[in-house]
Amino acid sequence: MSDSLFKIAHLYELAQRAYSAIPYKYFKGGYSFPAWHYYFEVTRRCNLRCRMCQYIEWLENVPVKEQKEGELSTEEWHRVIEQVGRFSLVTFTGGEPFVRKDFMELLQHASGKARTHFISNTTMMPEERAGAVVGLAPRKVGGLGLNFVGTSIEAPDALHDEIRQMRGAFERTMNGIRLLRSERERAGKPCPMIHVTTVLQEANVEVLSGMPKVLKAAGVDVMNLVTETRMHDLPGLGDVDPGSFTRDQVPWPKIDRGKLARALEDTIANAKEAGLEIRLPRMPRSAILDYYDQGIELRQYECRNAWNTLFVGRQGDVYPCWIVKVGNVREHSIKELWNNDVMRGFRKACQKHLFAMCPGCCFLEHASQRDAVTQR
């Protein structure tokens, strides 16, 4: 990753922290400034069936026609996009966003109003679509338009296909990355910058160290390693009191501590050798090992996500994170929902303690990492 991308990632962390600092510490009653980062889940439908996917049972057991029912229409998503502030960051996610025929239209609309980012498996990225995607990118990093594209690869070659449960998935994703990079270079733009997320899991721990070389060769800018989370396995998540769940109800993933330690060490070293920036969960490396071995101590962590980030689900339900629903955009504006009673109550709860399903979430931040961000 270039120095400019490193600076952008660092500035994003600083901005997110600074934006939430005053309301988190000083605002009474759980109030906050307007949302800064929006996640729009335009669909949960997907052309892959990843084994570790939080929606895998739903995808495998619910007919596609039913999966589509209740999704916000094109016009409804346009109305949601119109409520986003100019200085915001909008992340489109799924499922696979490109299974919606109108996704490019939605992305174009949002890219004319804010900084945008989408997460896709890039298996549905023909050359003409890659060109159109790059056409939405700004001439300068941080400018209005499509700044980032994220995809995910779990392992090299056939093992990735096995985890994704689709033959040829690895090559199709890699080809999508190469096309985006090629179109970006042809346009002479620094964006969209491309990041690949890899979930740390038992299935890929033995081959993880080979990933940096593969990703660098394809033109990836950064590799994100994230912890596997099973919070979405909990029945009623988002609709029931998150405090009603206990730690022993969450089926936490396991990886042999020694194997994971070696995999992380080798992967980090190989990324450095390849010249690929690698980003780890916002916790010490020892805590990553603890997570897959014995669990982590939540008192050492903090989450300010509810003070700066808003999720809009495929059917219009709105969340500060997926564990509590605060309303629906079909009934209320984002402005009305952002500081409503439920949202403020959730923020006040987060100031006192986190919840049983929080470990593994990528928004969770260890105290030592907060200090590191400030001191960089």
Side-chain angles (χ1 to χ4, degrees):
M1 181 176 71
S2 66
D3 288 341
S4 63
L5 184 53
F6 176 82
K7 290 177 182 177
I8 291 167
H10 178 49
L11 286 172
Y12 172 80
E13 291 180 358
L14 283 176
Q16 195 174 41
R17 172 147 293 280
Y19 192 77
S20 62
I22 292 177
Y24 181 83
K25 293 180 179 179
Y26 302 113
F27 284 14
K28 295 181 179 180
Y31 286 93
S32 184
F33 297 133
W36 180 59
H37 190 172
Y38 296 86
Y39 282 82
F40 293 161
E41 180 201 54
V42 291
T43 186
R44 284 188 186 173
R45 291 174 286 142
C46 189
N47 59 324
L48 302 181
R49 296 293 181 268
C50 308
R51 290 182 174 177
M52 74 293 178
C53 177
Q54 56 202 19
Y55 304 131
I56 185 62
E57 289 190 15
W58 181 80
L59 287 166
E60 289 184 334
N61 296 304
V62 177
V64 174
K65 185 177 180 181
E66 290 183 31
Q67 292 177 16
K68 190 176 179 179
E69 290 178 358
E71 289 184 351
L72 294 181
S73 67
T74 306
E75 293 72 23
E76 287 174 317
W77 274 118
H78 280 305
R79 287 197 290 271
V80 171
I81 291 168
E82 279 299 312
Q83 299 176 58
V84 170
R86 183 176 179 84
F87 296 101
S88 301
L89 173 64
V90 175
T91 294
F92 287 98
T93 185
E96 170 50 52
F98 282 106
V99 302
R100 283 190 67 125
K101 295 180 180 179
D102 61 356
F103 177 59
M104 281 301 300
E105 177 184 337
L106 300 178
L107 181 62
Q108 182 176 10
H109 183 183
S111 296
K113 287 187 60 63
R115 286 137 197 87
T116 56
H117 165 220
F118 72 79
I119 300 171
S120 163
N121 59 46
T122 67
T123 61
M124 303 171 69
M125 189 63 65
E127 186 173 354
E128 61 273 17
R129 179 170 285 169
V133 163
V134 172
L136 299 176
R139 289 286 175 184
K140 184 178 180 181
V141 178
L144 206 66
L146 182 65
N147 277 256
F148 310 101
V149 170
T151 189
S152 55
I153 299 177
E154 308 308 331
D157 304 314
L159 181 55
H160 175 83
D161 291 358
E162 183 181 334
I163 294 171
R164 288 280 188 260
Q165 299 194 78
M166 177 183 179
R167 181 177 295 181
F170 175 78
E171 185 51 39
R172 287 177 64 178
T173 292
M174 291 293 284
N175 187 58
I177 293 171
R178 288 189 287 262
L179 283 171
L180 286 169
R181 184 61 186 245
S182 175
E183 290 295 326
R184 188 177 96 183
E185 291 176 353
R186 190 164 68 86
K189 294 181 176 182
C191 302
M193 293 180 173
I194 304 166
H195 66 85
V196 165
T197 295
T198 301
V199 178
L200 295 167
Q201 55 190 291
E202 178 63 34
N204 67 9
V205 68
E206 300 280 9
V207 299
L208 199 64
S209 61
M211 291 285 289
K213 183 178 179 180
V214 172
L215 299 182
K216 182 66 176 181
V220 171
D221 294 296
V222 62
M223 178 182 184
N224 291 323
L225 294 179
V226 300
T227 47
E228 181 179 357
T229 176
R230 305 308 314 174
M231 70 165 66
H232 287 269
D233 294 342
L234 295 171
L237 186 74
D239 294 317
V240 301
D241 177 7
S244 66
F245 294 107
T246 60
R247 180 170 174 160
D248 59 4
Q249 289 179 276
V250 185
W252 298 118
K254 297 289 184 180
I255 302 177
D256 177 81
R257 191 180 185 93
K259 285 183 181 180
L260 182 56
R262 289 190 295 273
L264 289 174
E265 182 177 357
D266 292 345
T267 304
I268 292 168
N270 290 347
K272 183 177 181 180
E273 183 179 346
L276 179 70
E277 180 68 24
I278 188 168
R279 299 181 66 79
L280 277 69
R282 292 184 278 188
M283 60 177 71
R285 204 183 307 180
S286 60
I288 300 175
L289 303 181
D290 289 341
Y291 175 75
Y292 286 96
D293 181 19
Q294 62 195 34
I296 58 174
E297 178 51 66
L298 277 175
R299 286 177 295 180
Q300 299 173 346
Y301 294 80
E302 182 179 276
C303 182
R304 296 188 184 180
N305 205 51
W307 281 262
N308 53 46
T309 303
L310 193 72
F311 293 77
V312 179
R314 75 194 194 283
Q315 296 179 329
D317 290 331
V318 175
Y319 311 79
C321 81
W322 295 115
I323 69 176
V324 60
K325 183 170 67 177
V326 301
N328 191 287
V329 294
R330 284 174 167 147
E331 300 167 359
H332 300 280
S333 69
I334 286 175
K335 183 178 180 180
E336 291 171 330
L337 295 171
W338 180 244
N339 278 315
N340 72 6
D341 291 345
V342 181
M343 180 73 88
R344 289 187 287 109
F346 180 69
R347 290 193 189 113
K348 288 189 287 186
C350 288
Q351 287 174 316
K352 297 175 182 177
H353 62 81
L354 297 178
F355 300 93
M357 70 289 290
C358 290
C361 177
C362 58
F363 295 106
L364 209 62
E365 190 171 24
H366 191 272
S368 64
Q369 301 301 296
R370 297 198 300 272
D371 295 340
V373 168
T374 305
Q375 296 169 9
R376 281 177 194 162

